[in-house]
C-alpha cells in the first residue's frame, strides 16, 4: 500500500460502518407493518409517494458503479468519459417511463415484471425473465460489495474481504426486517447524504489538486482522443455499449421495475423525470474525479481501477473529508445492495413460489419466509463472488448485453397481441446464443460471418432507436426511426463494427431477438386479449375466496 495514502485506524472504520448500519437498522425498525403483509414486503402496497419514489429511484441507480465505473470511464476515455456514463444512464431512467405506464396499466397489482409476463405467456417466458433478473441482481450485489471491499482496503488496514463481509451483513441487517419498505425508507436519507457530500467532495478534490487551472494546464498530457469531447473511440468503446447495456437494464432490472410497481400511479411521471435529472448531475460530477486523476498522471493503486476514487480522495483530502467520502460511498452502495436483496426476494416470492409452486394460492407467511431466506442466501453468494474482485465496468456491460436479449420480446408482448410464448422463448434463446458467439469470440469474426453479424447488429441499433422513439412519440415515428437507424449503421458499420466486440455483441442480441420474435409471431394465428392480464395477476392482500383453503390467496 502506498505510504502517501491516508488511512483510518481499524477502530475508526469499524465505528463509522457500525454507526451507519446501526442507524439505518434503527430507522428500518420504525416502519410499521403487518407481519404477514407480503405485498408490503415486496412493493409497499403500491403506495409510494413522489418524494420517496424519486429519492429511491435515484439512490438505487446511483450505486457503487456510478462512482467507480464513472471514474474509470473518465480516466480511460478522458473528457467525454463521464458524460457517456452519466448522460446515457440518466436517459435510461427516463426511457422506462412510457413503457412503465403500460406495464402498470396492464397489471396494476403486480410486484414483478415477471408476473405480467406469466399472465401474458405462461411459465417458460416468465422463468426466463426471472432467471435473468436473478442473475443480474446477484451480479449487481456482487459489484456493490466489491466496491465496499475496495473502499475499506484502501482507507484502512482492514482487508478487502473484511470490507465485503461487513457491508454484506450490514445491508442484510436492516433489509431482512421490512424488505422493500426498508429499502425505500432508507434510500431517502441516503440520497440526501449523498447529494450533500458530493457537492462538497468533488470541488474539494479539485481545489486540493490546485484548482481548475491545474487540470486545464495538464490537458496536454491527454491523447488526442482523450481530449476530444466527441471522441469516436470513447463513443464506440464506452458510450454506445453502455447506452445499449443500460437500455436493457431499464427493462430487465427488477430493482427498477419494482419501484415502478410500488410508486403511486399518479406520481410515475414526475418520479422518473426527477430521478433522471438527479442521477445525471451526481454521476457526471463524480466521473470527473477520474478525469482529474488522468490529467495529473495518477496511476491506479495496484493497477486496480476500483481503487481510483478512494485513492484520489485519500491522497488529496484531510481526514474529515475522507470520512464524509467514506459515508458517501457506503451509502450509495448500500442503497443499491438493499434494492438487490429486495428484488431477489420479490422474484423468489412472486415469480417462483407464487406463480409456479403455489399456482396463485400463495400463503403470505410462506412467501415472507422464502423472501427472507433468499436475502440470506443472496448475501452469502454475493460475498463469495465479490471476493473474486471482478472489474466493475466489465461486469456492468456484460450483464446489460445479456439483458438486451429480452428487451424487444418483453415490450412487444405488452403492445402486440400476436406475440406467443414460443416467440418470446426462442427469441431470447437465439439472441443469447448469438451474443455468446460474438462476445466470447467462439468463432472468428472474419469474412461472411463478421459481415452477417454486423448486419444483425445494424438491425439491433435500429431496434434501440425505434423502441425509444416509439415509447415517446408513437408507432409511426418509431418504425421510421428503426429503418433510418438500421440503414445508417448498416452503411457505416459494415466492416468496422467487428473491431468493437462489446458493442457488436450487444447490438446483435437486440437484432436477433427482434427478428426471431417477429418471425415466429407472424407464423402464428393466436391473438391475446390484454384485458385478461389484470385478472391473472395476484393481489396478495386480497382476502381469499370462500372456496379457497384458509391461509391462501387467489388472483384477482
Amino acid at each position: 500500500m502506498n505510504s502517501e495514502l491516508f488511512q483510518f485506524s481499524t477502530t475508526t472504520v469499524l465505528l463509522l460502518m457500525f454507526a451507519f448500519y446501526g442507524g439505518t437498522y434503527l430507522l428500518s425498525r420504525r416502519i410499521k407493518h403487518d407481519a404477514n403483509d407480503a405485498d408490503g414486503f415486496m412493493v409497499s402496497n403500491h403506495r409510494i409517494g413522489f418524494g420517496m419514489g424519486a429519492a429511491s429511484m435515484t439512490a438505487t441507480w446511483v450505486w457503487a458503479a456510478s462512482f467507480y465505473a464513472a471514474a474509470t470511464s473518465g480516466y480511460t476515455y478522458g473528457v467525454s468519459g463521464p458524460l457517456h456514463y452519466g448522460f446515457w444512464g440518466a436517459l435510461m431512467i427516463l426511457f422506462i417511463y412510457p413503457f412503465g405506464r403500460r406495464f402498470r396499466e396492464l397489471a396494476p397489482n403486480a410486484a414483478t415484471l415477471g408476473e405480467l409476463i406469466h399472465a401474458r405467456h405462461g411459465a417458460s417466458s416468465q422463468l426466463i425473465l426471472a432467471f435473468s433478473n436473478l442473475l443480474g441482481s446477484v451480479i449487481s450485489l456482487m459489484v456493490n460489495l466489491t466496491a465496499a471491499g475496495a473502499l475499506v482496503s484502501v482507507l484502512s488496514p482492514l482487508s478487502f474481504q473484511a470490507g465485503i463481509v461487513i457491508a454484506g451483513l450490514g445491508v442484510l441487517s436492516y433489509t431482512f426486517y421490512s424488505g422493500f419498505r426498508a429499502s425505500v425508507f432508507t434510500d431517502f436519507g441516503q440520497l440526501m447524504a449523498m447529494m450533500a457530500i458530493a457537492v462538497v467532495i468533488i470541488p474539494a478534490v479539485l481545489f486540493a489538486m490546485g484548482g481548475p487551472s491545474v487540470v486545464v494546464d495538464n490537458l496536454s498530457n491527454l491523447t488526442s482522443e482523450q481530449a476530444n469531447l466527441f471522441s469516436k473511440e470513447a463513443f464506440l468503446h464506452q458510450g454506445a455499449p453502455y447506452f445499449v447495456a443500460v437500455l436493457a437494464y431499464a427493462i430487465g432490472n427488477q430493482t427498477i421495475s419494482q419501484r415502478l410497481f410500488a410508486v403511486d400511479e399518479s406520481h410515475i411521471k414526475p418520479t422518473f423525470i426527477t430521478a433522471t435529472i438527479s442521477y445525471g448531475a451526481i454521476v457526471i460530477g463524480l466521473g470527473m474525479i477520474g478525469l482529474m486523476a488522468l490529467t495529473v498522471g495518477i496511476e491506479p493503486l495496484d493497477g486496480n481501477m476500483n481503487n481510483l476514487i478512494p485513492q484520489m480522495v485519500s491522497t488529496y483530502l484531510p481526514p474529515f473529508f475522507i470520512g464524509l467520502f467514506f459515508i458517501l460511498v457506503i451509502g450509495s452502495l448500500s442503497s443499491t445492495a438493499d434494492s438487490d436483496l429486495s428484488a431477489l426476494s420479490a422474484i423468489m416470492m412472486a415469480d417462483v413460489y407464487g406463480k409456479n409452486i403455489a399456482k396463485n394460492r400463495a400463503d403470505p407467511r410462506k412467501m415472507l419466509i422464502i423472501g427472507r431466506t433468499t436475502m440470506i442466501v443472496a448475501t452469502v453468494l454475493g460475498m463469495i463472488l465479490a471476493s473474486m474482485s471482478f472489474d466493475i465496468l466489465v461486469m456492468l456491460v456484460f450483464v446489460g448485453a445479456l439483458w438486451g436479449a429480452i428487451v424487444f420480446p418483453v415490450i412487444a408482448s405488452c403492445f402486440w397481441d400476436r406475440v406467443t410464448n414460443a416467440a418470446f422463448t426462442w427469441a431470447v434463446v437465439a439472441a443469447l446464443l448469438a451474443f455468446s458467439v460474438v462476445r466470447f469470440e467462439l468463432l472468428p469474426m472474419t469474412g461472411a460471418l463478421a459481415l452477417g453479424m454486423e448486419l444483425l447488429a445494424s438491425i439491433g441499433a435500429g431496434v434501440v432507436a425505434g423502441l425509444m422513439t416509439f415509447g415517446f412519440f408513437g408507432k409511426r415515428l418509431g418504425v421510421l426511426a428503426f429503418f433510418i437507424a438500421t440503414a445508417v449503421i448498416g452503411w457505416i458499420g459494415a466492416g468496422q463494427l467487428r473491431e468493437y466486440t462489446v458493442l457488436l455483441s450487444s447490438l446483435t442480441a437486440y437484432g436477433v431477438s427482434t427478428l426471431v420474435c417477429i418471425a415466429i409471431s407472424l407464423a402464428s394465428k393466436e391473438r391475446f386479449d390484454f384485458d385478461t392480464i389484470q385478472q391473472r395477476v395476484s393481489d396478495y392482500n386480497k382476502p381469499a375466496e370462500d372456496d379457497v383453503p384458509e391461509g391462501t390467496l387467489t388472483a384477482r
Side-chain angles (χ1 to χ4, degrees):
M1 188 71 69
N2 190 327
S3 60
E4 295 182 2
L5 298 183
F6 174 85
Q7 284 192 331
F8 291 111
S9 67
T10 299
T11 302
T12 300
V13 166
L14 291 176
L15 286 174
L16 283 172
M17 297 189 80
F18 177 79
F20 177 82
Y21 287 118
T24 307
Y25 172 78
L26 292 176
L27 280 176
S28 71
R29 294 292 296 184
R30 295 177 60 85
I31 301 173
K32 297 179 180 180
H33 62 272
D34 184 343
N36 293 323
D37 185 359
D39 263 324
F41 192 87
M42 292 188 290
V43 288
S44 292
N45 307 113
H46 315 282
R47 296 174 183 169
I48 299 296
F50 162 64
M52 283 288 187
S56 183
M57 183 71 73
T58 306
T60 298
W61 210 248
V62 179
W63 56 324
S66 301
F67 290 73
Y68 293 87
T72 298
S73 185
Y75 187 85
T76 305
Y77 300 109
V79 174
S80 64
L83 297 177
H84 280 308
Y85 193 96
F87 179 75
W88 299 128
L91 186 61
M92 289 308 101
I93 300 177
L94 187 63
F95 170 81
I96 197 178
Y97 160 68
F99 299 108
R101 290 291 299 269
R102 177 63 172 171
F103 299 157
R104 283 293 295 269
E105 176 188 346
L106 293 175
N109 295 317
T112 70
L113 187 55
E115 287 188 288
L116 190 160
I117 296 300
H118 185 279
R120 176 68 174 85
H121 290 305
S124 63
S125 295
Q126 180 226 11
L127 289 176
I128 286 174
L129 183 60
F131 176 77
S132 70
N133 273 300
L134 288 172
L135 177 64
S137 291
V138 167
I139 292 179
S140 174
L141 181 61
M142 176 206 75
V143 167
N144 285 286
L145 296 181
T146 297
L151 179 71
V152 169
S153 65
V154 170
L155 296 182
S156 80
L158 290 171
S159 68
F160 177 78
Q161 287 75 17
I164 291 170
V165 171
I166 295 171
L169 294 179
V171 171
L172 179 64
S173 69
Y174 69 85
T175 313
F176 183 85
Y177 178 67
S178 298
F180 180 76
R181 285 167 300 207
S183 176
V184 173
F185 188 66
T186 56
D187 278 348
F188 186 83
Q190 290 164 349
L191 177 65
M192 295 301 103
M194 281 190 284
M195 293 179 68
I197 297 173
V199 168
V200 174
I201 290 293
I202 298 169
V205 172
L206 177 62
F207 285 101
M209 291 171 55
S213 60
V214 172
V215 175
V216 173
D217 292 341
N218 284 283
L219 287 177
S220 59
N221 296 331
L222 277 59
T223 66
S224 59
E225 284 293 328
Q226 289 174 331
N228 184 3
L229 184 62
F230 303 101
S231 167
K232 176 183 176 182
E233 290 297 306
F235 178 75
L236 291 175
H237 282 292
Q238 166 66 41
Y242 186 64
F243 173 77
V244 173
V246 178
L247 170 61
Y249 266 81
I251 299 299
N253 193 334
Q254 168 61 17
T255 63
I256 302 301
S257 58
Q258 193 170 18
R259 280 155 180 76
L260 168 68
F261 287 116
V263 172
D264 186 286
E265 193 165 3
S266 62
H267 297 147
I268 291 178
K269 183 176 181 179
T271 294
F272 279 86
I273 291 176
T274 303
T276 297
I277 297 171
S278 300
Y279 173 89
I282 294 172
V283 172
I284 290 174
L286 291 168
M288 290 297 176
I289 295 180
L291 176 61
M292 296 176 201
L294 175 65
T295 59
V296 297
I298 296 290
E299 292 291 332
L301 190 67
D302 300 327
N304 187 347
M305 286 291 189
N306 295 341
N307 292 330
L308 190 59
I309 285 189
Q311 180 182 352
M312 286 288 289
V313 172
S314 179
T315 300
Y316 287 105
L317 297 184
F320 175 75
F321 286 98
I322 298 173
L324 289 179
F325 168 77
F326 187 89
I327 297 299
L328 169 66
V329 179
I330 290 296
S332 70
L333 66 88
S334 297
S335 68
T336 306
D338 61 39
S339 299
D340 291 323
L341 291 182
S342 298
L344 287 163
S345 64
I347 292 168
M348 294 301 296
M349 291 166 70
D351 291 352
V352 177
Y353 170 70
K355 289 297 182 184
N356 292 285
I357 297 177
K359 305 295 184 183
N360 280 339
R361 294 172 174 260
D363 182 337
R365 290 166 295 185
K366 290 182 180 179
M367 292 185 77
L368 290 168
I369 292 172
I370 290 170
R372 291 185 171 118
T373 302
T374 299
M375 289 183 174
I376 296 172
V377 173
T379 300
V380 173
L381 184 58
M383 290 178 182
I384 294 171
L385 293 174
S387 66
M388 299 178 184
S389 193
F390 293 108
D391 183 270
I392 288 176
L393 189 57
V394 171
M395 296 305 301
L396 269 177
V397 174
F398 175 73
V399 176
L402 282 176
W403 273 340
I406 69 171
V407 171
F408 182 84
V410 167
I411 293 177
S413 294
C414 295
F415 288 90
W416 190 23
D417 62 0
R418 295 190 65 165
V419 180
T420 64
N421 183 49
F424 187 106
T425 302
W426 287 111
V428 174
V429 171
L432 289 179
L433 288 174
F435 165 80
S436 299
V437 168
V438 178
R439 183 66 181 85
F440 303 113
E441 300 180 345
L442 301 180
L443 296 173
M445 285 296 110
T446 57
L449 177 62
L451 181 59
M453 290 300 181
E454 287 170 339
L455 293 177
L456 288 171
S458 300
I459 294 173
V463 171
V464 173
L467 286 177
M468 292 190 65
T469 306
F470 165 68
F472 289 104
F473 303 107
K475 184 172 66 175
R476 290 185 178 180
L477 288 179
V479 172
L480 180 62
F482 165 77
F483 283 111
I484 292 175
T486 298
V488 171
I489 300 301
W491 177 262
I492 297 174
Q496 297 189 46
L497 279 175
R498 67 193 68 181
E499 302 298 326
Y500 305 94
T501 303
V502 175
L503 178 59
L504 179 63
S505 61
S506 302
L507 291 176
T508 298
Y510 278 90
V512 171
S513 66
T514 300
L515 291 176
V516 173
C517 184
I518 291 175
I520 297 178
S521 297
L522 290 175
S524 172
K525 296 182 180 180
E526 293 182 23
R527 296 292 186 274
F528 183 79
D529 181 3
F530 286 108
D531 291 337
T532 63
I533 289 182
Q534 185 169 344
Q535 285 72 44
R536 297 178 181 180
V537 176
S538 296
D539 177 355
Y540 296 107
N541 282 341
K542 186 176 183 292
E545 302 293 341
D546 294 338
D547 59 344
V548 178
E550 184 178 357
T552 63
L553 294 161
T554 59
R556 290 185 60 178

